[in-house]
Amino acid sequence: MTTMTPDEVRQALQENRSAPNGSARNAHAEALAGAAEATGDKALFREALDNLITSYLHSAESSKMLVPFARLLQEYDQDPGSFGRWDVHTLFWQFKWIGTAIGDSPEIPLDSARGWLEEMERRYRLAGYSERPVREAEMWLADATGDDERADRAMRAWLAAERDAMSDCHACELNSQGQYAALRGDDARALELWQPVLTGGLTCAEEPHRVLAASLLPLLRLGRLDEARRNHIRGYRLARGNESLLPSVGRHIEFCALSGNESRGLEILAEHAGHLGALANADDQLDFHGGVLVLLRRLEELGHGSSPAVPYADGPRTVSALYAHLHASALDIARRFDARNRSPRTSERFLARVGRQPLVGVLPLGVRSAPLPQTEVEPPSAVPSRRAAEAADAAAPAEGFAELVERARTARDQGHPAADALWAEAAARAAALPESAVDPLTAADLADSRALAAARAGAPEAADLLAAARDGYRTLGQAQRAALAELRLASAAAQDGAAPERIRALLAAGAEAAEALEAGEPLRGRRIALAELAALRLEPYLRSLESHGGDGPPEDHGHGAEVAAEQAARLTAFAAAHRGSLPDLAAEAEEMLGRIALSQGDPEGAAPLLDAAAARAAAAGRPWLAVDPLTLLAGVLMALGRPEEAEQAARTGLEHAAEVTDAEAQGAVRLTLADILLRRGDAASEAAEHALAAAHWFDQAGLVSGGGAQARFTLARAHAVQGHHVDAAEVLRSALPDLLEHGEGQAVGAREFLGDLLAELNEPQEAAEQYLLAAETAEHWEDQRPHAHLAHSAADQLARTGLPEEAAAAWERALELYRRAGGEPVSEARILRSLAWQALREEVTAPAAAHARSRMDQAADVLHAALAGAPEDPHLLAELAQTWYQLAQLADRQVVRSEELTEEYGADGEEDGSGGPRPAGLLDAQETEALRREEVDLCRRAAAVYRQLGPDHLADRLQCEQYAAWTEQELGREEAGAARIAALVEEFKALPEGLVGDLLERAEYTLAQLSQG
């Protein structure tokens, strides 16, 4: 760096203080310290050292602060008189940081560390400061050395010492105290200590960031899963990308690894892969890498050891290779701490942490994560529900193989969802047995189960497996099982896109096989009915194929009116014929009838059919078959405006889903119920629970981008209704790439919703970006009102971002769009008011004020024109009153600016009496009085409108009356102002207390103040 002047150094220091934390800021701060020393200005050098210490503190290089602090302390010892009061306070405050930095540096000998602690104690005592920070530093050093007795003693002394100017903020102290309790195994006490920080009552620059991360495992261990989920979502958003919070990032990664969210943990790791190398702060490196190692070990256990992890140093690494490297380097750091501390505690804690096992199976988080690839050791994607898992109860070791097979057959014959899991367990058992131990019928049943699974998955080998299963049954004389396998060949062919004549031939073969069964076969009637129902199910598809010439699968094989009528007649006859003997098949036919009615635009006709199908399936002892029709029925009832019945249908469907193993069905019924509850308006919390579960089930079904995205959109809405805007924004942001693929309407809605959430979270720049992107999509829509609304929202956020010119352009564009779309008077008035205030942003001169007033007048004109057609519209009247009130504020802005100029230049506008030009914006006494009178009149008119609008606008009315009363006082009409408020007080007293709230107290306070004035 070239030689800098003192002023240049000062300017550069100011810029460095506002630079992003990290190594780049640190490097610049180091150079500036050197440049400051070269100027010979000791005060400037001290300022540069202080900046360098602070820069190091808020980065991963905090241990480097020892050198500049020692130099600053040396400066103080040489000339304490040159340090101002605040300089001395800062120096002693930084002593605490040094205590932490020494503990984080294994290169500093233990005796030196203790010496620094003693020096800190001595200086604090001489300066008259409390020993509280000293005892905290002593506690952590004693804990690191394994001296638990001394640590506990120091802890008690810390809590007993008085808080003073050198005490850490309360949030940081509670963080430290909770960490100590957690290390001692008292999770409940730790969370109790952290509660004021977790709830937002106590905050600072790095809290609740760190406490949110620290709370995750204690919450999991105590089974407080909802809190753990929320703290992860909130906490990671705060810690993401913050170099000084890498240990907290490591804890979020560890939490993901131990809660069944390994894929999200890997995504977080990828976002911070640039910090996997050596860090200047060895303790931070050990803490961060410890969390990473928990994840990598877990991925190895799941069979992903050979999968790519994240780039590191010289290039890509597999999970196992990265684990081995990081484990070796972290263990080396831990052992260096052990050597310095003369205790194995650090390495023991490190190894215990890395060896932690999952605390829950899977904790759904709501945010989207790309699924990990399937491996042989992973469970199947369709995770059974609780009751299904109990029913399948993957045969306990005490159960014999024969008993397991019998259970599987029973479940299969009942059509029970547990059958698949039982057959899978039987297949695994059979693979471990000698071939002779598996009888031919069991082998055929296992082959049939494999074939059915392949057919459901659409595997190319499904047809061959089904044919082999059929032939195997035929060989064993199991004609009814062979007939069922024959029928399944038709469905597999349709799924595989076979020609219609091939599918019809297979259906005919299945029907013939069923008819050919002996008359005494108990299942003959069922097999014949199944063949008939299969033909009915495939008929619309085949007709559609044939109408398209058989040239590939048609895009739409719905029901034309003629085909639908014919199909409905045949299904009605089928259902009538089998209601008594085969009620489950009759229920399926009725469900198909309901779907046909919906396809023909007849929801009223569909509802009773779907209801009957569900009731019949449940009565037949197969409640799992009722789930789909009930889910569909719930949606139909909502569309018909029958929300109570819809909710009941969805709840019944969810109850029946207890034994369903199909993940998509589980997701669909939960999403349907969540949407119904959310629309109800008073059940957002329960809606969030069901939407969260729905997202999880859709993910398990491999439908992350489809149903999973819709579930997350609903979950975000439920979070937002509850005021959980952080959770809503994170969930929606994670699903946004998927939602953008769901059509323009969904894309615009999702971006607008995300913009609303970001605006609520005071992130105007990001909010504006979402609104603008949504507006770009809606730009070509025939209805331009959504486009106008989005442009309006973007303008509001651009103004908050500090981009006035861009905001003004967006407001003008929105105004034009509203007018082109036929007018939106409320929105137009709000835009015009915003433009009015924009006119006074830079200066309050007569031309600027005139322009602003013109905009306000235009807003009033728009509203008056709209009121001509709807004179009692409450929204229009409220906006008109607000326009008058803001016009009064605009007049006040003119008067205030004139008063500022009078104070600066004098009443005649001549600061030095030189006779220069009168400052723009300076008013004479008459102009000032006229504006004040106008303010009173405008507030009076606004208050009158608010009075007309009734109790909902009491607060608005009080605001106008207070404004008018104080303005009356400025005009010297104190009695008039007081009388105005006194009348309002009496009116409020006559109203019910619940209606007035604290407004009466506020009015009485204003009256008392006016009387004193």
Side-chain angles (χ1 to χ4, degrees):
M1 179 179 289
T2 58
T3 303
M4 299 175 67
T5 67
D7 285 343
E8 289 173 336
V9 173
R10 289 188 186 92
Q11 178 63 32
L13 284 172
Q14 184 176 347
E15 294 172 358
N16 186 252
R17 289 188 188 99
S18 60
N21 296 323
S23 55
R25 179 191 173 188
N26 293 349
H28 192 204
E30 290 165 358
L32 290 175
E37 184 176 20
T39 66
D41 185 330
K42 286 189 171 294
L44 183 59
F45 180 46
R46 292 194 299 270
E47 184 181 348
L49 288 173
D50 175 75
N51 176 67
L52 180 56
I53 293 167
T54 303
S55 182
Y56 282 145
L57 174 71
H58 297 294
S59 74
E61 300 177 327
S62 57
S63 59
K64 288 185 176 182
M65 73 174 76
L66 287 166
V67 173
F69 179 78
R71 185 65 188 277
L72 190 60
L73 190 62
Q74 182 182 41
E75 291 285 321
Y76 176 74
D77 289 339
Q78 289 175 354
D79 185 11
S82 64
F83 280 65
R85 183 177 179 182
W86 178 249
D87 297 331
V88 174
H89 176 90
T90 301
L91 180 70
F92 276 82
W93 186 271
Q94 290 169 343
F95 235 121
K96 300 182 299 178
W97 301 347
I98 298 307
T100 301
I102 288 171
D104 293 347
S105 306
E107 294 79 14
I108 297 177
L110 184 59
D111 291 340
S112 297
R114 287 171 173 162
W116 268 99
L117 188 60
E118 292 169 359
E119 179 67 8
M120 178 183 177
E121 181 176 11
R122 182 184 71 83
R123 288 179 181 265
Y124 268 49
R125 184 172 59 252
L126 291 174
Y129 290 125
S130 168
E131 67 172 354
R132 193 175 179 91
V134 179
R135 299 285 77 87
E136 180 185 4
E138 178 189 4
M139 180 198 75
W140 285 120
L141 185 59
D143 176 75
T145 60
D147 190 346
D148 291 338
E149 183 179 343
R150 182 175 181 181
D152 287 342
R153 187 169 62 249
M155 175 69 164
R156 291 191 295 272
W158 171 25
L159 297 179
E162 291 184 4
R163 286 183 57 83
D164 66 359
M166 280 299 115
S167 298
D168 280 339
C169 79
H170 202 183
C172 286
E173 283 202 337
L174 289 178
N175 175 18
S176 192
Q177 292 165 20
Q179 298 268 15
Y180 189 75
L183 285 172
R184 294 295 182 270
D186 194 345
D187 289 336
R189 176 58 178 160
L191 291 166
E192 181 184 352
L193 287 164
W194 288 330
Q195 191 63 16
V197 183
L198 292 173
T199 56
L202 296 171
T203 62
C204 70
E206 292 191 332
E207 299 299 352
H209 317 38
R210 296 182 301 169
V211 167
L212 285 165
S215 72
L216 297 174
L217 295 195
L219 287 168
L220 285 183
R221 287 191 288 260
L222 293 175
R224 293 160 60 175
L225 305 184
D226 287 339
E227 293 174 74
R229 177 192 302 112
R230 287 208 64 211
N231 287 3
H232 168 65
I233 299 300
R234 290 173 57 212
Y236 181 60
R237 181 174 179 272
L238 294 171
R240 179 194 288 131
N242 192 326
E243 193 176 275
S244 69
L245 293 175
L246 286 174
S248 294
V249 172
R251 293 188 178 198
H252 284 283
I253 292 173
E254 180 181 14
F255 163 80
C256 291
L258 301 181
S259 64
N261 290 285
E262 296 84 5
S263 60
R264 176 163 171 83
L266 195 57
E267 290 172 359
I268 294 174
L269 174 58
E271 291 180 357
H272 297 84
H275 297 292
L276 278 177
L279 301 178
N281 186 317
D283 190 58
D284 279 3
Q285 181 177 338
L286 185 62
D287 210 354
F288 175 49
H289 287 187
V292 172
L293 286 165
V294 176
L295 171 67
L296 296 175
R297 178 193 54 75
R298 181 67 185 141
L299 289 171
E300 278 195 309
E301 291 175 352
L302 292 174
H304 296 284
S306 59
S307 300
V310 294
Y312 176 78
D314 54 349
R317 299 285 183 103
T318 64
V319 167
S320 293
L322 185 58
Y323 175 84
H325 180 83
L326 294 183
H327 189 277
S329 62
L331 187 57
D332 177 66
I333 292 173
R335 287 173 175 161
R336 283 161 52 201
F337 274 110
D338 289 348
R340 193 279 296 272
N341 296 332
R342 303 166 195 166
S343 166
R345 171 153 290 178
T346 303
S347 60
E348 287 174 352
R349 283 179 174 169
F350 166 74
L351 292 171
R353 180 187 189 187
V354 173
R356 284 173 180 157
Q357 292 300 310
L359 295 167
V360 295
V362 177
L363 174 62
L365 299 177
V367 290
R368 183 197 195 282
S369 291
L372 295 171
Q374 288 287 330
T375 67
E376 292 184 1
V377 296
E378 284 189 286
S381 61
V383 179
S385 60
R386 176 179 57 81
R387 287 194 200 168
E390 290 172 357
D393 194 45
E399 181 182 36
F401 178 67
E403 288 83 356
L404 172 62
V405 170
E406 282 307 310
R407 284 209 297 137
R409 285 173 177 154
T410 301
R412 178 194 65 192
D413 294 344
Q414 292 175 342
H416 198 287
D420 290 342
L422 288 166
W423 281 121
E425 176 64 19
R429 292 275 199 94
L433 295 173
E435 188 174 344
S436 59
V438 181
D439 64 81
L441 180 57
T442 298
D445 284 339
L446 291 171
D448 182 53
S449 174
R450 285 192 296 273
L452 182 57
R456 287 172 177 164
E461 69 274 14
D464 291 339
L465 291 173
L466 286 168
R470 176 200 60 194
D471 295 343
Y473 280 130
R474 282 178 177 171
T475 301
L476 296 173
Q478 295 288 319
Q480 61 90 9
R481 295 298 306 170
L484 185 57
E486 187 85 64
L487 186 60
R488 286 172 178 161
L489 281 167
S491 297
Q495 188 173 357
D496 200 36
E501 55 271 19
R502 170 63 177 163
I503 299 170
R504 289 193 184 280
L506 289 169
L507 285 169
E512 289 172 8
E515 292 282 358
L517 292 173
E518 295 180 1
E521 167 59 55
L523 291 175
R524 182 175 184 273
R526 184 175 187 85
R527 293 292 178 260
I528 292 172
L530 277 172
E532 183 181 356
L533 189 59
L536 284 169
R537 185 184 302 110
L538 288 174
E539 185 62 25
Y541 170 71
L542 294 172
R543 293 274 189 98
S544 183
L545 267 182
E546 289 161 347
S547 69
H548 284 75
D551 186 18
E555 293 182 5
D556 178 16
H557 47 83
H559 303 276
E562 186 177 338
V563 175
E566 178 185 338
Q567 183 80 349
R570 294 176 64 188
L571 283 168
T572 300
F574 180 93
H578 298 293
R579 283 189 183 117
S581 56
L582 298 170
D584 58 313
L585 298 186
E588 188 173 347
E590 287 170 326
E591 180 183 346
M592 292 167 65
L593 280 166
R595 293 180 183 274
I596 290 174
L598 284 177
S599 73
Q600 298 303 303
D602 182 16
E604 291 281 4
L609 290 166
L610 294 169
D611 190 26
R616 202 173 309 285
R622 301 192 179 196
W624 52 87
L625 296 180
V627 176
D628 283 350
L630 283 169
T631 302
L632 191 56
L633 173 63
V636 170
L637 291 170
M638 280 300 290
L640 292 173
R642 294 154 63 182
E644 294 83 4
E645 296 173 72
E647 181 179 338
Q648 184 56 51
R651 288 192 184 280
T652 304
L654 182 59
E655 182 181 343
H656 290 331
E659 295 178 292
V660 170
T661 59
D662 180 72
E664 183 177 0
Q666 290 280 3
V669 68
R670 284 169 168 80
L671 178 56
T672 299
L673 179 55
D675 188 59
I676 291 169
L677 291 172
L678 196 55
R679 295 188 196 187
R680 200 176 85 183
D682 61 351
S685 178
E686 186 185 355
E689 293 177 15
H690 293 303
L692 177 66
H696 169 68
W697 281 107
F698 281 125
D699 290 352
Q700 294 294 315
L703 300 171
V704 176
S705 60
Q710 290 298 332
R712 287 184 172 87
F713 188 77
T714 301
L715 176 59
R717 289 167 53 214
H719 281 322
V721 169
Q722 297 175 84
H724 301 161
H725 297 108
V726 170
D727 306 62
E730 290 300 301
V731 168
L732 183 57
R733 199 195 302 266
S734 74
L736 187 60
D738 296 324
L739 293 169
L740 294 179
E741 301 299 319
H742 288 205
E744 286 190 351
Q746 179 82 83
V748 168
R751 286 201 184 278
E752 182 180 16
F753 183 22
L754 182 55
D756 294 343
L757 293 170
L758 293 169
E760 192 72 35
L761 293 171
N762 197 29
E763 297 181 13
Q765 185 170 345
E766 292 80 0
E769 179 183 359
Q770 293 301 325
Y771 290 136
L772 290 170
L773 288 169
E776 184 178 329
T777 302
E779 188 174 10
H780 65 276
W781 290 1
E782 183 176 351
D783 182 357
Q784 283 291 287
R785 285 174 297 179
H787 186 196
H789 175 70
L790 291 163
H792 185 178
S793 298
D796 290 343
Q797 297 309 308
L798 288 169
R800 290 177 63 195
T801 304
L803 298 171
E805 294 180 3
E806 291 83 349
W811 275 320
E812 294 284 9
R813 175 64 172 154
L815 192 60
E816 177 189 355
L817 291 168
Y818 278 131
R819 288 170 175 170
R820 252 198 269 164
E824 186 82 28
V826 170
S827 297
E828 290 178 47
R830 290 177 178 177
I831 290 175
L832 288 163
R833 292 200 302 260
S834 296
L835 288 168
W837 288 110
Q838 189 79 355
L840 300 181
R841 184 181 59 84
E842 293 185 358
E843 57 180 1
V844 185
T845 61
H851 181 64
R853 281 175 166 274
S854 172
R855 290 294 197 178
M856 287 288 186
D857 290 342
Q858 290 174 38
D861 289 345
V862 166
L863 294 166
H864 280 303
L867 283 164
E872 302 300 321
D873 188 302
H875 300 293
L876 294 172
L877 287 169
E879 287 299 322
L880 181 60
Q882 181 62 208
T883 301
W884 286 334
Y885 178 70
Q886 289 196 27
L887 183 54
Q889 290 179 305
L890 192 150
D892 178 68
R893 182 76 184 89
Q894 290 179 261
V895 173
V896 169
R897 178 55 181 159
S898 177
E899 290 172 348
E900 292 171 349
L901 292 170
T902 299
E903 185 176 339
E904 183 176 352
Y905 292 97
D908 57 1
E910 298 179 12
E911 184 177 29
D912 54 6
S914 61
R918 180 185 180 89
L922 188 63
L923 304 172
D924 59 29
Q926 283 185 318
E927 290 171 321
T928 299
E929 182 176 353
L931 285 173
R932 288 302 190 199
R933 287 179 179 278
E934 183 185 19
E935 290 176 54
V936 173
D937 182 61
L938 287 165
C939 287
R940 177 189 58 76
R941 291 158 62 191
V945 171
Y946 285 134
R947 181 174 186 172
Q948 175 187 341
L949 291 172
D952 288 344
H953 292 273
L954 287 176
D956 296 317
R957 185 179 165 204
L958 173 60
Q959 186 179 46
C960 291
E961 296 286 16
Q962 286 173 321
Y963 191 121
W966 286 114
T967 308
E968 295 265 30
Q969 188 176 63
E970 290 194 26
L971 287 168
R973 304 192 308 222
E974 292 85 352
E975 291 184 3
R980 183 185 297 275
I981 300 300
L984 198 60
V985 166
E986 293 306 314
E987 185 178 335
F988 282 179
K989 285 180 178 179
L991 294 173
E993 185 177 345
L995 195 64
V996 177
D998 67 342
L999 297 180
L1000 175 59
E1001 182 180 348
R1002 287 163 53 188
E1004 289 176 332
Y1005 177 80
T1006 300
L1007 182 59
Q1009 293 293 107
L1010 287 166
S1011 300
Q1012 291 175 8

